[in-house]
């Protein structure tokens, strides 16, 4: 299953890390901006927003980058081990990433996070497959329909210019 012509595996990890960092910084920046505005006293809201943005956005971006890097690394490992690229690799990568990121909390925490990561990625992949199948119908080639000869009107006889008669001649004959 070819996915959008993605980068080959070693470069995909760096690419996904950078994309995840960017998403985390932008999303975390917006969230921190609003949170800093709401938690600052009146008159200091702009400064509080910018301070919260500068302190929290890079942290959230880094967290996203770690998640994206681990996910892409596990995805590449599973692609290499299984010799195929399909949705099961993403589901397994989500489960492994959840397990590794929660490993400090113990085995039960790691297993719960693995289940959540696997289920979340299974839902994402399932929705992607469903959307692809629904929209694929409109791109299916259609065979052109030729007109049915039975329903066509009879052909008109060809008339030559010398055999034309005037309407007066037709009326008197």
């Amino acid at each position: 299953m070819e996915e959008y012509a993605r980068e080959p595996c070693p470069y995909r990890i760096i690419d996904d890390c950078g994309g995840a960092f960017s998403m985390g910084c932008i999303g975390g920046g917006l969230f921190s901006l609003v949170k800093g505005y709401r938690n600052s006293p009146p008159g200091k809201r702009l400064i509080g927003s910018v301070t919260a943005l500068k302190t929290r956005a890079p942290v959230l971006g880094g967290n996203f980058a770690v998640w994206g890097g681990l996910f892409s690394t596990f995805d590449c490992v599973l692609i290499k081990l299984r010799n195929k690229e399909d949705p099961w690799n993403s589901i397994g990568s989500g489960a492994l990433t959840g397990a590794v990121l929660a490993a400090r909390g113990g085995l039960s925490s790691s297993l719960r996070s693995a289940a959540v990561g696997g289920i979340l990625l299974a839902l994402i992949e399932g929705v992607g497959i469903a959307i692809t199948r629904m929209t694929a119908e409109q791109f299916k080639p259609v065979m052109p329909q030729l007109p049915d000869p039975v329903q066509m009107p009879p052909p008109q006889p060809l008339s030559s210019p010398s055999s034309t008669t005037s309407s007066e001649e037709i009326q008197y004959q």
Side-chain angles (χ1 to χ4, degrees):
M1 175 183 250
E2 189 64 32
E3 234 181 45
Y4 316 121
R6 291 184 63 181
E7 295 286 328
C9 255
Y11 304 107
R12 182 185 302 184
I13 298 168
I14 303 300
D15 189 41
D16 287 350
C17 251
F21 179 77
S22 299
M23 284 192 305
C25 280
I26 292 169
L30 291 173
F31 183 76
S32 298
L33 196 69
V34 171
K35 188 175 178 182
Y37 179 82
R38 292 181 68 196
N39 292 335
S40 297
K44 303 282 184 179
R45 295 197 172 190
L46 181 63
I47 294 170
S49 295
V50 172
T51 303
L53 174 84
K54 290 189 323 185
T55 57
R56 293 301 304 159
V59 172
L60 195 57
N63 291 342
F64 269 67
V66 168
W67 195 94
L70 276 175
F71 178 83
S72 292
T73 302
F74 286 131
D75 196 31
C76 288
V77 167
L78 289 175
I79 288 170
K80 185 69 174 172
L81 288 175
R82 298 181 66 227
N83 289 328
K84 62 169 86 169
E85 191 166 352
D86 61 358
W88 289 108
N89 291 340
S90 295
I91 295 168
S93 299
L96 288 170
T97 300
V100 167
L101 289 177
R104 289 178 54 194
L107 183 62
S108 68
S109 175
S110 185
L111 290 175
R112 277 194 309 269
S113 291
V116 168
I119 290 170
L120 183 67
L121 265 295
L123 289 172
I124 291 169
E125 290 292 327
V127 167
I129 290 170
I131 289 173
T132 301
R133 286 191 180 167
M134 286 189 317
T135 59
E137 188 68 31
Q138 66 185 344
F139 297 112
K140 191 181 285 186
V142 178
M143 190 168 162
Q145 298 291 327
L146 297 175
D148 189 11
V150 174
Q151 296 179 354
M152 291 182 66
Q156 297 294 327
L158 296 177
S159 61
S160 63
S162 63
S163 68
T164 58
T165 57
S166 69
S167 62
E168 294 175 1
E169 291 176 0
I170 293 175
Q171 288 178 0
Y172 292 119
Q173 290 178 352

